[in-house]
Amino acid sequence: SAMGMLWLQVSCLCGSAPCLLCGCCPSAKNSTISRLLFTFFLFLGTLVSVIMIIPGVEKELHKLPGFCEGSGSVLGVQTHVDCRSFLGHKAVYRMGFAMAAFFFLFAVLMVCVRSSKDPRAAVQNGFWFFKFLVLVGITVGAFYIPDGAFTSVWFYFGVVGSFLFILIQLVLLIDFAHSWSQRWLRNAAESNAKGWYAALCIVTFIFYATSIAAIVLLYVYYTKPEGCTEGKVLISINLILCLIVSAVSILPKIQDAQPHSGLLQASLITLYTIYVTWSALANVPIQTCNPTLLVRNSTGSATASQPLTTWWDAPSIVGLVIFILCTLFISVRSSDHPQVNKLMLTEESGAGGSGEAGAVESGLHRAYDNEQDGVSYNYTFFHLCLLLAALYIMMTLTNWYRPDESLQVLTSPWTAVWVKICSSWAGLLLYLWTLVAPLVLPDRDFS
């Protein structure tokens, strides 16, 4: 019987997702559990990255074989660079590469899976132990990538991935705000209580007040009365854009076409845009305009004015929190916002009907398969989202720094600033489009 128990546990590890968690999650959906487990892999990689970038651990990394060699010869010139100060930085890049490769592998495997009867769907929802082994294998392999061009090329992959992930975060935010305002408005209509309207107004007011305070602080800390023109211009442009978006969201015509669009969504988008602006300004490589600038020299002996930590600055910590919330939201969301569903390639919520009813009728708290008739989300798109998330977190943890040409100093290039600013503009345009699309294309059905 002990043998039988062991076999049960092993088959559970290699079996499908519901089997793993059926005990602890009453009536959870198969698709949701699979997504949560993939997200857990991503968080595991992030945790390892965070550990590797802690200064104490970073110093020990040079004991890894071949990890510090090879960085001496740059462009064929033998230089004696003490690569210890970049070890954490390099390790995070390697870890980011491993996670991106892992999710890319699954994105390619799951192309065009239409139904959970497809044999590949079993790979998506099962074999977790083997997937873990694959991830560990890729990670170990990644640490053997020779230095040289890898870091500088992978930096640009990270830049593109982060740009797209900032946009995905914004789409999720629109979706979240939409569901939120819809739920509270529905509550207000059903219970005929004015309290829900008041609550909506208060929350919206808090978001706008925070945004205004944040803009004032940005002007105070990230610009100087003389100079710092870029900072002033960027803050001002984003302020004006946020005002425009807020005004458009309450125009009577927009309200007629989309009765649920309102200031709550606009206030949340405004707050997020201000956050992205702050995060961009924190990457400005000019010391006088950027109080959070950290300069690291390859000697590793940073003076008191230059703390050694690379990412413990506030924008990165906020970024990490938003990243965790967004990736969890990608895993558990089931939205009723049609345009966001089109953008996020989520099927309409019809797929989960029969399974849900069955699970409730039998009275069993079991993880049921809500993908009997078709997949409830696009597998490949989900993996691509996690791939972009892995690239984004890699850039956040390394603070968008890269070794300069001489490999002596880690610098944050202007690239980082422009990527973040452009992504905030693209995001605002996207939100504006979700508002005006029903007006511009009246014959298309957006409901």
Side-chain angles (χ1 to χ4, degrees), residues 262-442:
L263 277 179
L264 179 72
Q265 289 94 314
S267 65
L268 201 54
I269 304 301
T270 302
L271 195 58
Y272 182 70
T273 306
I274 303 304
Y275 156 70
V276 175
T277 314
W278 173 40
S279 164
L281 292 174
N283 275 106
V284 172
I286 305 164
Q287 190 83 54
T288 50
C289 301
N290 183 358
T292 49
L293 188 67
L294 305 168
V295 181
R296 300 185 68 195
N297 290 326
S298 64
T299 53
S301 60
T303 53
S305 64
Q306 303 169 341
L308 236 168
T309 48
T310 37
W311 69 278
W312 264 262
D313 61 335
S316 299
I317 291 175
V318 177
L320 193 67
V321 172
I322 294 179
F323 154 81
I324 290 173
L325 292 175
C326 276
T327 11
L328 283 174
F329 191 56
I330 290 176
S331 308
V332 298
R333 66 181 283 281
S334 53
S335 168
D336 50 0
H337 187 277
Q339 279 149 284
V340 174
N341 275 341
K342 282 196 187 80
L343 277 170
M344 299 294 286
L345 301 182
T346 318
E347 307 291 321
E348 300 304 322
S349 53
S354 54
E356 208 157 336
V360 174
E361 271 169 38
S362 61
L364 286 170
H365 285 315
R366 270 280 176 266
Y368 61 87
D369 183 1
N370 69 324
E371 299 192 299
Q372 299 285 336
D373 316 317
V375 293
S376 67
Y377 62 100
N378 185 321
Y379 288 168
T380 298
F381 184 73
F382 171 70
H383 288 301
L384 288 177
C385 283
L386 288 191
L387 187 157
L388 298 177
L391 292 175
Y392 170 80
I393 206 62
M394 175 185 89
M395 297 309 273
T396 303
L397 292 183
T398 56
N399 219 333
W400 298 67
Y401 283 31
R402 61 168 188 212
D404 63 358
E405 283 62 46
S406 63
L407 276 177
Q408 293 297 313
V409 186
L410 279 173
T411 55
S412 165
W414 274 104
T415 324
V417 181
W418 286 113
V419 166
K420 288 178 180 177
I421 287 294
C422 291
S423 64
S424 74
W425 291 342
L428 284 170
L429 286 174
L430 198 72
Y431 176 58
L432 209 56
W433 174 246
T434 61
L435 289 177
V436 298
L439 291 181
V440 181
L441 307 166

